[in-house]
Amino acid sequence: MTKAFFKSGIFLFFIIRICYAQVPVGIEPRHHKIFQNAYIRILDVRIVPGDTTLFHTHEKPSVFIVLNNAKTGAELFSEGEISDATVTNGNIWFEGFYYDPLIHRIWNIDTTEFHVLEIELLNKTYKEIDASLPQKSIRMLFNEKPVRGFSGLLSARSTINLGVKKYPLLVIALNDFSDGVTVNDKLFKEKGKFLFIPEGRKITLVNKGTVAAQFVILELK
């Protein structure tokens, strides 16, 4: 065995290891950080048809929000288990990752872009929060240690006042609006748009248009 062959073998070995090594989700190239503060980090996840992420690690409690329909595949790093799934626009769920991180990679087997928002919950000193939001048009999805999640519907030409909260909130749009929809005077026009509202602020959602607006509201503990 020649030295050149030996060196090329070592080089190939390290290339393979790099390709299959896992990275933190925050630096995986298809997970784009678009916002961060002491409470949350928002990753805008986009995978074009035919593309595959690196193996990456999820270890912080997170909320996932699907923004379009797509067929995907996934592989677990440790087990090599491969599965297919169809993600649906508007699906919302919480993952705690309390005991073990999730290390996987995802690929897009569809003809449309895979688009998800991942909201990592960074605050570790959870506190009790007020009673649930009282509006009939707002439905609780989950109530977990770091976060309480709701889906809301703001009818055309209507207003929802949520009052002043003693904890921060995150409001995310779930559909596109051709007319004016505002959250605390910030204009929303596209799904995936969001507003972080610090504690102690009054919260008002206004829909002056003719199309109902769908929202996710996250109460951050």
Side-chain angles (χ1 to χ4, degrees):
M1 183 181 295
T2 65
K3 289 184 179 180
F5 179 86
F6 181 72
K7 290 180 179 179
S8 64
I10 293 175
F11 177 76
L12 179 60
F13 171 79
F14 280 109
I15 289 295
I16 292 172
R17 291 300 299 168
I18 290 170
C19 290
Y20 281 86
Q22 68 267 27
V23 298
V25 65
I27 64 172
E28 202 288 319
R30 296 149 194 88
H31 293 68
H32 308 281
K33 184 177 74 173
I34 55 175
F35 181 83
Q36 182 170 345
N37 61 16
Y39 283 90
I40 58 173
R41 174 166 55 207
I42 302 179
L43 302 174
D44 186 36
V45 186
R46 295 175 182 265
I47 308 173
V48 299
D51 195 14
T52 303
T53 70
L54 302 177
F55 278 107
H56 55 278
T57 305
H58 300 269
E59 56 186 352
K60 298 184 184 301
S62 299
V63 175
F64 297 86
I65 302 172
V66 179
L67 296 178
N68 66 347
N69 300 325
K71 296 178 181 179
T72 67
E75 180 182 2
L76 295 178
F77 180 78
S78 59
E79 303 172 15
E81 180 182 340
I82 295 176
S83 60
D84 293 333
T86 299
V87 293
T88 305
N89 180 42
N91 276 5
I92 306 154
W93 71 94
F94 169 86
E95 295 284 355
F97 307 119
Y98 293 127
Y99 306 107
D100 294 301
L102 170 65
I103 306 173
H104 69 167
R105 62 176 178 170
I106 300 174
W107 51 88
N108 185 344
I109 56 176
D110 214 322
T111 57
T112 59
E113 184 180 57
F114 172 84
H115 188 194
V116 171
L117 287 185
E118 178 179 354
I119 297 98
E120 292 187 299
L121 306 168
L122 307 180
N123 181 36
K124 295 181 180 180
T125 56
Y126 311 140
K127 57 183 179 292
E128 293 295 326
I129 60 176
D130 299 344
S132 180
L133 297 177
Q135 301 290 332
K136 292 182 179 180
S137 58
I138 298 176
R139 177 174 62 91
M140 184 184 292
L141 300 173
F142 48 79
N143 187 7
E144 303 291 345
K145 287 192 297 184
V147 64
R148 192 159 58 188
F150 300 84
S151 64
L153 184 67
L154 182 60
S155 302
R157 298 188 176 91
S158 67
T159 298
I160 294 178
N161 291 304
L162 299 180
V164 177
K165 298 300 178 183
K166 298 178 181 179
Y167 44 84
L169 283 86
L170 182 68
V171 182
I172 307 113
L174 277 183
N175 62 330
D176 299 325
F177 323 117
S178 57
D179 301 314
V181 174
T182 60
V183 179
N184 282 14
D185 296 324
K186 177 179 178 177
L187 183 64
F188 279 56
K189 285 191 174 182
E190 301 172 357
K191 63 182 177 181
K193 296 299 182 183
F194 63 89
L195 179 64
F196 176 85
I197 303 172
E199 60 188 65
R201 302 285 180 86
K202 185 177 180 181
I203 303 163
T204 304
L205 291 75
V206 179
N207 185 354
K208 296 181 180 180
T210 58
V211 177
Q214 295 176 290
F215 286 90
V216 178
I217 300 174
L218 301 180
E219 297 179 323
L220 305 171
K221 301 180 184 182

